[in-house]
Amino acid sequence: MFLDLREIITVGMVLFAVIDIIGSIPIIIDLRTKFGHLESGKASITSGAIMIVFLFVGEEILKLIGIDVASFAVAGAFVLFFLALEMILGIRIYKDEEASSASIVPLAFPLIAGAGTMTTLLSLKSQFHTINIIIAIVLNIIVVYAVLKSSSKIERMLGENGLGVIRKTFGVILLAIAVKLFAANVKGLFV
């Protein structure tokens, strides 16, 4: 076991930025308004399970279709780059379909454990120890649960401007991580 607090913090920050649960508060509020009560516990546990399973099975899926982790990590760096641009510039490059209900599916899968999170997990796996990634996932899921439970309070406390500042700050952090991830893995494409 290679427990490393620095790795846990780094991976945790990356996942926090990609999941962007604070920036998703307006969407969560909208889902709550449209469909009533949200099952915070179920959504958190389901999204955590999806992330952990994908962390282990994702690489095997890549091998099955003949893609190496370095190539996927570079692709992941591009995805992170565009996610960061969305956060910093306040634009939408990727558009989800409208949710038809507030069940686990729109909350856990597209919102919390979406495509960006899956790509990020496999990209991180090429640089960090798996145990540290799992701990970072669990810590993020605890934060996700807390935010889901108290989303309306957080929205009132931070206000629209506060949410915007947090979103842009994590966008810049995510952009820097995307550049680092690209630089660390691009050499592996030409070996």
Side-chain angles (χ1 to χ4, degrees):
M1 294 249 263
F2 297 97
L3 285 176
D4 183 350
L5 187 60
R6 185 179 296 159
E7 278 194 14
I8 293 168
I9 291 169
T10 302
V11 173
M13 291 287 286
V14 171
L15 288 175
F16 185 77
V18 172
I19 293 169
D20 188 28
I21 195 67
I22 301 293
S24 299
I25 287 175
I27 300 166
I28 295 165
I29 299 291
D30 187 51
L31 282 172
R32 184 174 281 137
T33 303
K34 284 182 186 173
F35 305 107
H37 175 69
L38 298 177
E39 297 179 70
S40 305
K42 268 190 182 177
S44 300
I45 291 168
T46 303
S47 57
I50 290 170
M51 286 187 250
I52 291 171
V53 167
F54 194 80
L55 181 66
F56 290 103
V57 179
E59 194 171 343
E60 298 304 315
I61 293 170
L62 287 181
K63 285 179 187 174
L64 188 66
I65 57 177
I67 298 173
D68 62 295
V69 176
S71 299
F72 197 81
V74 169
F78 283 117
V79 171
L80 291 178
F81 178 81
F82 288 115
L83 284 172
L85 285 181
E86 283 185 350
M87 293 168 77
I88 294 167
L89 301 175
I91 57 173
R92 295 294 290 167
I93 297 169
Y94 174 77
K95 292 179 173 47
D96 285 323
E97 289 123 27
E98 189 68 29
S100 60
S101 72
S103 66
I104 290 173
V105 175
L107 193 56
F109 181 62
L111 193 61
I112 300 167
T117 307
M118 299 304 167
T119 307
T120 303
L121 284 171
L122 287 188
S123 302
L124 291 170
K125 192 171 181 182
S126 69
Q127 276 192 300
F128 300 100
H129 293 98
T130 305
I131 187 67
N132 297 324
I133 298 172
I134 292 171
I135 292 169
I137 289 171
V138 171
L139 292 173
N140 267 282
I141 291 304
I142 291 168
V143 172
V144 164
Y145 177 76
V147 169
L148 287 175
K149 272 299 205 195
S150 57
S151 56
S152 54
K153 290 177 189 171
I154 293 171
E155 184 188 35
R156 283 192 304 271
M157 188 175 67
L158 293 176
E160 197 172 312
N161 291 336
L163 289 173
V165 168
I166 290 172
R167 188 174 181 84
K168 288 183 187 332
T169 302
F170 276 101
V172 172
I173 292 169
L174 196 57
L175 190 60
I177 290 165
V179 170
K180 181 182 177 196
L181 194 58
F182 178 83
N185 289 284
V186 73
K187 296 172 218 147
L189 299 178
F190 303 106
V191 175

